[in-house]
Amino acid sequence: MSPHPAAMGLQGFHMAGGLQTGSVVLVSNLNEEMVTPEALFTLFGVYGDVVRVKILFNKKDNALVQFAEPRQAALAMSHLDKVKVWGKQIRVAASKHPVVQMPKDSQSEGGNLTKDFTNSPLHRFKKKGSKNYQNIYAPSGTLHLSNIPPTASEEDLKEAFAQTGGEVKHFKFFPKDRKMALIEMGSIEESVTALIEMHNYQLGDSSHLRVSFSKSTI
């Protein structure tokens, strides 16, 4: 049996045969009460630029997520498969679909379940050689915050993150750069929920928080 492409890192793409992975992943065992295209865009966007998301109309605990390139799909599979999201352990696997199709009629059944994010300003990897590529980590209990406005205090941030339903265990501004901080949540699952809800959260008139997983601990 061939090794899973994600388990092989990114080598899988350069090999012929069945290992070729496309840009679309199938996400299953989602919490259908909680899942939205925007939430999946934010979570999967940690590992690549998500172009389209489709929650399956007849099976809402399944979704297709299309990335800008196969390398990003492989990163998402290796980092998000079997992670707990909204109380359920999700599965992330390669999809046989080469692209996510948009519905012909957006007003039709399930029209709001498919979203195109091609022109979103929130893509993390659009710039060639983006530094974000060097800071891709598996989900962890500690989150890295950036783009914090000078008006935001430690209490403001702790209170905002507590609103996501998790426990804020520790918080620390970067000593030399108060625009950045680390925040530790009560568990990886709480941290995943906090990232989904707090990435792009508006803190000031024009400041939107940036949130990613950190390899550091506080």
Side-chain angles (χ1 to χ4, degrees):
M1 190 169 146
S2 301
H4 194 280
M8 295 181 61
L10 303 178
Q11 277 88 27
F13 299 138
H14 309 301
M15 298 178 68
L19 272 177
Q20 196 71 27
T21 303
S23 298
V24 181
V25 297
L26 172 67
V27 190
S28 54
N29 203 38
L30 286 158
N31 181 330
E32 54 186 88
E33 302 295 312
M34 300 291 291
V35 68
T36 62
E38 290 78 10
L40 293 177
F41 167 78
T42 300
L43 178 59
F44 281 76
V46 171
Y47 301 104
D49 291 336
V50 172
V51 180
R52 285 180 181 171
V53 176
K54 182 187 198 78
I55 296 167
L56 304 190
F57 180 71
N58 294 323
K59 205 171 184 207
K60 292 192 177 68
D61 61 346
N62 281 245
L64 295 170
V65 177
Q66 181 181 340
F67 286 92
E69 53 184 67
R71 171 170 76 140
Q72 299 172 349
L75 282 168
M77 283 190 283
S78 62
H79 289 313
L80 289 175
D81 185 39
K82 299 184 181 169
V83 167
K84 237 180 174 186
V85 184
W86 302 304
K88 296 184 77 173
Q89 190 182 54
I90 65 167
R91 298 307 309 264
V92 185
S95 168
K96 62 181 189 296
H97 296 279
V99 294
V100 169
Q101 299 286 353
M102 293 302 291
K104 290 184 178 66
D105 176 6
S106 62
Q107 303 307 310
S108 66
E109 283 187 308
N112 60 343
L113 297 176
T114 305
K115 286 271 168 77
D116 186 296
F117 294 99
T118 306
N119 297 318
S120 169
L122 297 179
H123 291 303
R124 296 179 190 240
F125 305 100
K126 265 235 160 101
K127 290 188 187 126
K128 284 273 180 246
S130 167
K131 274 190 180 162
N132 289 335
Y133 272 120
Q134 296 155 32
N135 296 304
I136 294 175
Y137 303 111
S140 56
T142 304
L143 296 166
H144 177 276
L145 316 182
S146 58
N147 209 34
I148 301 169
T151 50
S153 68
E154 176 174 337
E155 287 312 308
D156 292 337
L157 289 157
K158 282 161 84 168
E159 191 177 323
F161 274 79
Q163 298 287 322
T164 65
E167 175 202 1
V168 176
K169 290 176 85 171
H170 300 290
F171 179 93
K172 187 173 84 176
F173 277 113
F174 275 54
K176 292 180 181 165
D177 187 354
R178 226 181 141 282
K179 287 184 184 162
M180 295 197 287
L182 294 175
I183 190 163
E184 185 186 345
M185 303 300 291
S187 66
I188 292 176
E189 185 182 353
E190 287 180 10
S191 179
V192 167
T193 303
L195 181 139
I196 290 170
E197 293 192 24
M198 295 302 295
H199 182 62
N200 203 43
Y201 181 80
Q202 189 162 354
L203 278 169
D205 291 340
S206 60
S207 294
H208 289 79
L209 192 63
R210 295 281 172 263
V211 184
S212 51
F213 297 116
S214 173
K215 70 175 194 303
S216 307
T217 50
I218 304 174

